Amino acid sequence: MIWSTFLANRSKPIWLYLTGFTLTVLLMSCQQTTPPPSSEADMTLPTRTIEHAMGNTQVPLSPERVVVLDYAPLDTALALGIQPVGTIELLDFPIYPDDINTIATVGAGTQPNLEAILQLQPDLILGSRAIFSRWYGRLSQIAPTVLTEDNGRDGEWQENVRLYAEALGKAEQAEQLLADYQQRVAAFQTSLSEPLQQMEVSVITTWTGGVLAYSADSFSGAVLRDIGFARNPAQGEGRRYGIRLSREDLTQIDGDVLFLLHSATLEASVAKADFVDDPLWSQLNAVEQGLVCEVNTAVWAGGRSILAANQILQDVETCLGG
């Protein structure tokens, strides 16, 4: 295989000399016994040091060929006006432009395809230590790789936005996006009537064995916390991002408003119509009050960055008639 042959016979990070002819030589000659000569121009490209979960990495000042290994860096890059050249396999993401379908796929889930990444000649790779720490050494051989500590699933999404943006050379733009988000939250809070401000919300999704309730410390939970909503005690702070419950644990998933995460691509995902018609779930207060709002699973659980956070705000406004 190209990757294994290359890795066994190299001594310098490929990103230092991977341009034009040298890439062609690398990909076409699996029998090469020494690394191709590095070019002086490549060695002197301007870089800056980025401190991240795996240490310090020198990255180009203005990366142009970015590979993202998770939805969070994809969301961040798109928000900053950068379209990656490679991404993991995408599922249902209605909030992103259609042209993301033209981005090359470099693996699925937690399994990056190293040869596919190599052929894209990236100058920056973004991901998270929580998922890709064991791949870090090999990824770093292809291009400068920056990993956040966590993947945003536990609610620390804004810090991740800042790190990804710093690596992309867009730190100031990211701060403006986050400031705009905070202003939108404040405006939404002001628009809420007092009864709505006192509401207790619940966020759940269904899976084959029962229900997953997202806590106040999840990505969507962090956005709802910014708004100021109370949470069902079972979904409060100090818990993992999600709590697995049996289908009968009604008291732990109820609330004044229930956000039901649904995905058309997952067989075990229950849509709102089926949920409210279910004899058991129909006993929930939120169902009786007609305040069950179906939202997109990929956005509420997967996005974990600024575009998804803004969509959650939009979904909440729509749900509450704003």
Side-chain angles (χ1 to χ4, degrees):
M1 294 177 65
I2 294 171
W3 171 254
S4 58
T5 302
F6 165 68
L7 189 60
N9 296 295
R10 62 171 314 283
S11 61
K12 299 178 181 178
I14 186 172
W15 73 275
L16 291 176
Y17 52 79
L18 195 60
T19 57
F21 177 73
T22 54
L23 176 69
T24 302
V25 171
L26 174 64
L27 293 177
M28 296 183 62
S29 178
C30 294
Q31 303 302 317
Q32 189 171 327
T33 58
T34 59
S38 59
S39 106
E40 188 66 26
D42 293 335
M43 294 291 287
T44 59
L45 285 175
T47 63
R48 54 204 156 78
T49 303
I50 300 296
E51 183 179 354
H52 59 105
M54 303 301 291
N56 294 322
T57 296
Q58 295 293 316
V59 305
L61 293 183
S62 299
E64 296 180 353
R65 299 186 60 79
V66 182
V67 167
V68 294
L69 300 179
D70 198 0
Y71 295 113
L74 171 65
D75 185 298
T76 303
L78 293 174
L80 294 169
I82 297 172
Q83 177 151 313
V85 296
T87 182
I88 59 168
E89 183 179 354
L90 298 175
L91 300 177
D92 177 25
F93 257 97
I95 66 172
Y96 299 145
D98 291 339
D99 59 2
I100 65 168
N101 295 321
T102 65
I103 301 175
T105 299
V106 294
T110 62
Q111 296 293 321
N113 184 324
L114 298 178
E115 291 188 26
I117 296 172
L118 176 64
Q119 293 185 50
L120 290 174
Q121 303 182 58
D123 53 13
L124 179 65
I125 300 172
L126 299 175
S128 70
R129 179 177 181 175
I131 301 177
F132 296 104
S133 61
R134 69 189 181 95
W135 296 93
Y136 179 72
R138 284 169 284 181
L139 292 169
S140 295
Q141 300 300 311
I142 300 175
T145 300
V146 172
L147 303 184
T148 55
E149 183 66 38
D150 296 306
N151 63 359
R153 187 175 64 178
D154 297 317
E156 69 293 332
W157 67 274
Q158 295 194 46
E159 289 307 309
N160 291 350
V161 169
R162 290 186 172 95
L163 180 57
Y164 290 140
E166 183 184 4
L168 292 166
K170 300 283 187 179
E172 291 185 6
Q173 294 92 320
E175 289 300 332
Q176 185 59 57
L177 289 175
L178 292 172
D180 292 343
Y181 163 79
Q182 294 296 345
Q183 290 178 2
R184 185 175 178 185
V185 169
F188 183 47
Q189 290 172 327
T190 302
S191 71
L192 291 174
S193 63
E194 186 173 344
L196 291 180
Q197 292 174 357
Q198 304 303 317
M199 276 189 165
E200 182 178 273
V201 301
S202 181
V203 183
I204 71 165
T205 190
T206 55
W207 59 292
T208 304
V211 175
L212 180 68
Y214 289 91
S215 76
D217 292 327
S218 65
F219 167 58
S220 60
V223 177
L224 295 172
R225 185 172 58 226
D226 287 342
I227 298 172
F229 286 128
R231 299 300 302 274
N232 182 307
Q235 302 172 38
E237 297 182 15
R239 299 174 180 273
R240 296 184 67 251
Y241 77 95
I243 305 101
R244 296 198 175 201
L245 305 167
S246 71
R247 191 169 170 273
E248 291 74 23
D249 287 325
L250 297 183
T251 59
Q252 299 190 61
I253 65 171
D254 206 355
D256 298 310
V257 181
L258 191 151
F259 293 100
L260 175 66
L261 277 59
H262 174 65
S263 173
T265 63
L266 299 176
E267 291 185 8
S269 184
V270 174
K272 176 182 175 180
D274 296 321
F275 184 86
V276 299
D277 288 341
D278 184 277
L280 189 61
W281 285 329
S282 64
Q283 302 173 37
L284 294 169
N285 175 64
V287 176
E288 293 177 346
Q289 298 301 315
L291 286 173
V292 175
C293 301
E294 182 180 310
V295 294
N296 186 277
T297 299
V299 173
W300 279 59
R304 291 171 275 117
S305 191
I306 188 66
L307 294 180
N310 276 295
Q311 183 60 48
I312 291 175
L313 288 178
Q314 181 61 54
D315 291 342
V316 175
E317 292 175 10
T318 301
C319 176
L320 298 180

